[in-house]
Amino acid sequence: MVPVELLDIARWQFGITTVYHFLMVPLTIGLAILVAGMQTAWYRTGNTRYLKMTKFWGKLMLVNFAMGVVTGIVQEFQFGMAWSQYSRFVGDVFGAPLAMEGIVAFFVESTFLGLWIFGWERLSKGVHLACAWAFSLATVASAYFILAANSWMQHPVGVEMVDGKPQLTSIWAVLTNSTVLAAFPHTVFGCFAVAGTFLMGIGGWKVWKKDRQRRATESEPKSMADSASRPAGDDEDRKLWHKSMRLGAWVGVVAFAGLAISGDFQGKLMFQQQPMKMASAEALCHTEQPASFSIFAYGDVSQPDCESVKSFTVPYVLSYLANGDFTSEVEGVQELVPEYQQKYGTHLPDDPRLGEFAGAPIKYTPNLPATYWGFRFMIGFGAVAAASAAAVLWFTRGGRFPEGRWWGPVAIANIATPFLGNIFGWVFTELGRQPFVVAPNPSSDDKVWMFTAQAVSPGVSPGEMLTSLIALTSVYAVLAVVEIFLMVRFARGGVEAVMPPEPDEDDEDSDVLSFAY
Amino acid sequence: MELQTFWFCVIALLWLGYLFLEGFDFGVGMLLPVLGRGEEQRRVLINTIGPVWDGNEVWVIVAVGSMFAAFPGWYASLLSTAYLPFTVLLLMLIGRGVAFEYRGKVDSPRWRRTWDAVIVLASWVSPLMIGLVLSATVFGLPLDAGGDRVGSPLVILTLPNVIGALAVLGFSLLHGAAFLSLKTEGEIRERSRGLALRYGPVLLLPLAALMLLAQLREGTTWTWVPLVVALVAALAGLARQGRWRDGQAFALQGVALAAVVVTLFGALWPNVLPSTLNPAWSLSVAETASSPYTLMVVSWVAAFGTPAVMVYQGWTYWVFRKRISTAHIPPVHAPSPGGAH
């Protein structure tokens, strides 16, 4: 039972499917709320520009929403499929937030999304708008329950050990875990960072294209006639894209400020809750007082003794990031390992169910290059995206848009930055938790923890696991291409492609559906 | 103890809701190439379930999530033991969901044909997988003392489980035909009704066999009652279909399905997943249940949440209650290949 490769395949599968799912989720959450906001603006002002924005950005949201929904089903199933021992161990606690997510949030999301897509003109404007808010707020509620479940794996609370398994004693403690209270705002700001940059990228690209077309026609010989005959809607169209871009930039700037503040808070919490994760994030090999923050390192950070590592550091900063005090001590990997060994053991139990892992020594240091660079890339990509949002606000003020042939492609490429920041953040936080799947809570003596090697399904063969890994990854790869293809197509198509054709005068009471697949 | 029983019933109810709701939308998908002659008719078929299929699908997610919350041992053993069927089911649900949403987004026959193929394939294969795993949970799997599978990934393919797979397939097909005769008008309505009448008895045959098998192998005296109810309701449904009472026919199929689910889960009780190797290793309700506190927490959520779900999903069906035909389908509206300018 449990050969080494089974665990590796199961982890790769969880990593790939979860990272992929989390490419869709932040865009869905951020965009859904923004679209509901645009529709509210239309409802209140009656201005068609807001209706067009709702329809256009709503269409892109739907292309993405479908992918988020279907890849989410995999998440709900794979705990039982690939991680049966984990599911048995944590079931009393972990299943509850998942079931709550389904009943309270996911039902609302799917049902009201259907009503919103098909309900244009069928429902009254107010009810239709309420549907938009229902599904978009449900996506946020969904995120809360899922993060509560994940936070419990990072920092178990509200339980006691009964017959070797954690038993829930307070659901309230799980839902108000300090870890989820920190992770939730950080994640939601991350969603808005993605959505804001998305609006900024596509909106900016459309403005850039319009300006280039205009300049091209104006420089032609018969430009007088052309510019005179340019449809009046063209200026309105540019305004719409410009407004979308600036809305995205504002959302981005606020979101990035929120990310920095909530991230700082979360980081300080993690120094208390999972000191090894944070020491690994810094490749801090030895305890320092005061501790320096490493900006950049070369050499082999994967060696815990760090002998070959040269690092550019800023003194005192890490002490402040960890404890809010510039001169405090921060523990290093080398000093933490014996502490962990003393608290949590040096070897896995000699249980035959663990197969090749029975009695194996425990390696307490996470994958250092992944945590070190994951942490830096998270912050780095976030900073690039934040700077771009601020730059857009300045350089496009008052309807401006800079000339230059590269700005369009740059605007599109920049969409990737907050996605990358999100991904690296999650890779860091989940790899930094290793070798635990449920990391111990250092301020509690209830002895609740589980090693990842103990969590995998003993009855599943590596061949089956590899089959599903290959099948899911291939399908996901194809669907990624399809989604991007559709996004590009709708972005190119602009407003005309998403606004319903004007109804005929005598067609008022026809039975034709306002929308159909 | 009462909460454990209550949650066993809730999970039966969630599976019933799923089989009832997604049953007909699987059926519609299966019938796409049979009843949909030409693009306009295929769009009529797809749009009968357009606004609701996603909400229907959530029932399976909540059923499985509730198994995790209320009976973690059941969830862990069933999903890991039936690893391959669940993998296939996931791939199908992924393809199907994306296909509905993406099919109309490009105005090209080839594009639509591709997604139609995905819808049809997934609509045929998904109910087979669901039938397979649901009958496996009734008839048992080769579990060891720890609740993990002994034997090959394909041990699930026993004759009773294959009958179970065909039972869900047959029911979904008939249910889809009944739904279409209720939701469409004109040619499609007549053809779907004809199909339900002609093939109804055959399509219900595996379901009857499954029930009888479950009753004979695992059942108790009282589970004969729902078995009889199921047969009577199913036959009455076909009779009402013959008299053009589409709504009654559809509802009676629901009654039959409910009786089937009661028979199966009744036969399963007090186990949740028997071991075919050693009865002592069978997983029972009492052994796999979460603690009373956890069950109470999820009970409160379900007590308020589930009725609300039924109300707003019911409202969705009310909003989109009209029958549709090719006359209701708007022209295709998708971006042209080169963009607007």
Side-chain angles (χ1 to χ4, degrees):
Chain A
M1 291 180 155
V2 192
V4 172
E5 63 267 25
L6 181 71
L7 179 65
D8 287 340
I9 301 168
R11 286 187 63 193
W12 273 106
Q13 177 165 281
F14 198 90
I16 290 172
T17 52
T18 310
V19 163
Y20 191 86
H21 180 56
F22 207 73
L23 288 172
M24 318 303 160
V25 168
L27 185 60
T28 289
I29 293 178
L31 215 46
I33 298 276
L34 292 180
V35 166
M38 292 168 190
Q39 193 175 344
T40 309
W42 174 60
Y43 179 79
R44 296 182 63 137
T45 64
N47 185 341
T48 338
R49 186 190 296 160
Y50 294 122
L51 174 65
K52 289 176 177 170
M53 283 170 73
T54 310
K55 291 265 190 181
F56 176 81
W57 297 108
K59 193 64 91 175
L60 292 188
M61 179 202 69
L62 290 177
V63 168
N64 184 65
F65 210 115
M67 293 279 287
V69 168
V70 296
T71 54
I73 311 175
V74 177
Q75 301 306 101
E76 184 99 10
F77 283 57
Q78 73 171 324
F79 296 109
M81 290 168 66
W83 305 97
S84 66
Q85 289 290 78
Y86 169 79
S87 304
R88 290 181 186 116
F89 180 71
V90 302
D92 201 61
V93 193
F94 194 81
L98 292 194
M100 288 177 177
E101 191 257 356
I103 295 172
V104 178
F106 202 29
F107 262 132
V108 176
E109 211 175 295
S110 313
T111 310
F112 287 92
L113 182 71
L115 279 159
W116 188 74
I117 299 174
F118 286 82
W120 290 95
E121 285 158 47
R122 179 81 54 104
L123 300 166
S124 76
K125 277 183 185 166
V127 173
H128 189 250
L129 176 64
C131 291
W133 280 109
F135 77 75
S136 53
L137 290 175
T139 62
V140 180
S142 237
Y144 190 84
F145 288 115
I146 299 303
L147 287 171
N150 175 268
S151 294
W152 188 85
M153 298 166 76
Q154 309 281 355
H155 184 239
V157 291
V159 287
E160 61 179 1
M161 283 299 258
V162 178
D163 300 332
K165 282 181 189 173
Q167 208 172 76
L168 188 61
T169 54
S170 165
I171 185 72
W172 187 244
V174 172
L175 293 177
T176 57
N177 190 345
S178 55
T179 318
V180 67
L181 295 183
F184 177 68
H186 196 61
T187 310
V188 171
F189 281 126
C191 298
F192 281 104
V194 163
T197 313
F198 188 75
L199 257 67
M200 204 169 84
I202 292 179
W205 177 69
K206 296 292 276 190
V207 175
W208 170 81
K209 242 183 133 181
K210 285 239 172 285
D211 286 358
R212 273 169 70 89
Q213 274 162 1
R214 179 179 307 182
R215 279 196 294 274
T217 36
E218 277 168 3
S219 63
E220 275 172 26
K222 33 174 202 150
S223 63
M224 296 299 283
D226 262 355
S227 58
S229 68
R230 185 155 38 93
D234 230 33
D235 279 337
E236 167 54 27
D237 211 31
R238 186 186 187 277
K239 269 185 201 149
L240 183 149
W241 299 118
H242 203 273
K243 208 177 172 69
S244 295
M245 171 186 68
R246 288 188 64 85
L247 170 66
W250 276 114
V251 169
V253 163
V254 174
F256 289 115
L259 276 171
I261 296 165
S262 59
D264 178 56
F265 184 73
Q266 201 181 6
K268 288 187 168 54
L269 201 60
M270 271 304 128
F271 271 106
Q272 295 161 22
Q273 297 182 344
Q274 292 179 32
M276 182 65 93
K277 178 191 279 183
M278 298 313 286
S280 313
E282 297 306 324
L284 182 70
C285 303
H286 306 285
T287 301
E288 290 184 15
Q289 183 181 18
S292 317
F293 178 76
S294 160
I295 292 178
F296 179 83
Y298 60 91
D300 189 1
V301 287
S302 67
Q303 299 299 323
D305 56 11
C306 299
E307 268 172 11
S308 70
V309 175
K310 296 280 178 294
S311 180
F312 295 96
T313 57
V314 188
Y316 303 108
V317 169
L318 186 59
S319 292
Y320 181 78
L321 288 178
N323 303 313
D325 171 356
F326 283 103
T327 56
S328 60
E329 180 190 86
V330 179
E331 280 189 294
V333 170
Q334 299 255 294
E335 284 70 26
L336 282 167
V337 167
E339 274 179 41
Y340 272 60
Q341 284 176 335
Q342 197 209 335
K343 275 181 167 166
Y344 313 119
T346 53
H347 291 78
L348 288 169
D350 203 7
D351 176 356
R353 295 185 70 79
L354 290 180
E356 292 177 12
F357 290 101
I362 302 164
K363 183 174 164 284
Y364 281 106
T365 42
N367 182 331
L368 282 178
T371 48
Y372 179 85
W373 290 113
F375 192 63
R376 263 143 206 80
F377 283 140
M378 168 184 77
I379 296 174
F381 281 114
V384 169
S388 68
V392 163
L393 282 182
W394 175 253
F395 288 110
T396 68
R397 65 195 187 281
R400 290 180 181 82
F401 194 87
E403 285 186 30
R405 56 188 303 189
W406 292 108
W407 288 120
V410 166
I412 294 295
N414 190 50
I415 293 175
T417 51
F419 280 104
L420 290 167
N422 271 331
I423 295 312
F424 281 112
W426 276 108
V427 166
F428 156 67
T429 204
E430 299 304 300
L431 281 182
R433 174 164 46 75
Q434 304 301 328
F436 295 101
V437 63
V438 178
N441 178 345
S443 58
S444 143
D445 47 6
D446 52 22
K447 298 202 181 302
V448 176
W449 67 79
M450 185 184 216
F451 294 102
T452 309
Q454 297 173 299
V456 75
S457 298
V460 177
S461 67
E464 280 172 283
M465 199 81 89
L466 193 61
T467 308
S468 66
L469 170 65
I470 293 170
L472 284 167
T473 309
S474 318
V475 168
Y476 279 13
V478 171
L479 290 180
V481 174
V482 174
E483 177 176 357
I484 291 172
F485 164 77
L486 280 176
M487 289 266 186
V488 170
R489 219 175 149 88
F490 274 97
R492 280 187 201 279
V495 170
E496 288 96 299
V498 294
M499 288 298 283
E502 295 289 321
D504 295 339
E505 289 297 321
D506 54 331
D507 219 24
E508 276 299 303
D509 49 14
S510 89
D511 277 343
V512 175
L513 301 170
S514 57
F515 175 83
Y517 274 143
Chain B
M1 184 60 205
E2 296 87 80
L3 272 182
Q4 294 179 357
T5 314
F6 172 72
W7 271 92
F8 184 82
C9 297
V10 169
I11 283 159
L13 181 76
L14 289 167
W15 278 108
L16 169 62
Y18 180 61
L19 292 169
F20 180 78
L21 293 170
E22 189 123 288
F24 69 72
D25 73 47
F26 282 144
V28 171
M30 286 184 235
L31 291 168
L32 195 60
V34 183
L35 294 178
R37 295 181 187 159
E39 169 60 10
E40 286 234 304
Q41 292 195 355
R42 280 195 290 276
R43 287 186 71 199
V44 171
L45 259 65
I46 290 170
N47 280 290
T48 58
I49 53 170
V52 295
W53 71 267
D54 192 8
N56 295 348
E57 195 163 287
V58 179
W59 284 79
V60 76
I61 294 163
V62 174
V64 170
S66 298
M67 284 166 78
F68 196 177
F71 303 99
W74 186 8
Y75 165 81
S77 290
L78 183 63
L79 274 82
S80 63
T81 308
Y83 189 91
L84 283 185
F86 275 110
T87 302
V88 174
L89 176 64
L90 287 174
L91 292 168
M92 293 299 138
L93 294 181
I94 290 169
R96 195 169 174 270
V98 172
F100 283 131
E101 192 56 43
Y102 286 1
R103 182 188 186 279
K105 297 236 177 323
V106 174
D107 189 8
S108 130
R110 214 178 112 213
W111 174 269
R112 282 190 289 262
R113 265 202 308 277
T114 309
W115 292 114
D116 281 350
V118 175
I119 292 174
V120 174
L121 176 76
S123 301
W124 280 89
V125 175
S126 307
L128 283 174
M129 296 303 128
I130 291 158
L132 206 57
V133 298
L134 280 185
S135 38
T137 204
V138 175
F139 297 120
L141 286 161
L143 304 180
D144 64 16
D148 290 303
R149 188 186 64 215
V150 179
S152 96
L154 300 177
V155 286
I156 195 170
L157 291 175
T158 61
L159 184 63
N161 294 348
V162 170
I163 292 175
L166 293 173
V168 175
L169 183 87
F171 173 80
S172 299
L173 198 52
L174 177 62
H175 203 41
F179 179 77
L180 284 171
S181 64
L182 177 65
K183 288 293 294 178
T184 58
E185 51 189 35
E187 203 188 327
I188 299 177
R189 180 185 177 196
E190 276 168 34
R191 277 195 275 126
S192 58
R193 176 178 168 274
L195 192 133
L197 286 174
R198 207 167 327 124
Y199 299 108
V202 184
L203 292 174
L204 288 171
L205 215 57
L207 194 67
L210 172 72
M211 270 200 306
L212 210 58
L213 211 58
Q215 176 62 25
L216 295 178
R217 283 176 55 156
E218 319 271 347
T220 47
T221 327
W222 72 265
T223 45
W224 281 104
V225 178
L227 193 147
V228 173
V229 171
L231 286 179
V232 171
L235 293 175
L238 288 176
R240 297 313 286 164
Q241 191 98 60
R243 297 200 166 256
W244 294 92
R245 305 307 296 260
D246 303 322
Q248 291 181 13
F250 183 71
L252 281 164
Q253 282 175 5
V255 173
L257 180 73
V260 172
V261 171
V262 170
T263 309
L264 293 179
F265 279 80
L268 178 58
W269 174 268
N271 282 333
V272 288
L273 181 58
S275 166
T276 51
L277 299 180
N278 182 346
W281 296 341
S282 292
L283 301 177
S284 70
V285 168
E287 276 170 345
T288 54
S290 286
S291 66
Y293 175 77
T294 299
L295 289 179
M296 193 194 69
V297 168
V298 281
S299 296
W300 280 107
V301 176
F304 287 99
T306 320
V309 171
M310 289 178 177
V311 168
Y312 61 68
Q313 284 207 338
W315 178 63
T316 309
Y317 283 91
W318 173 252
V319 168
F320 301 105
R321 65 191 174 282
K322 275 192 182 165
R323 288 177 183 271
I324 58 173
S325 70
T326 47
H328 299 98
I329 299 297
V332 179
H333 188 59
S336 53
H341 298 288

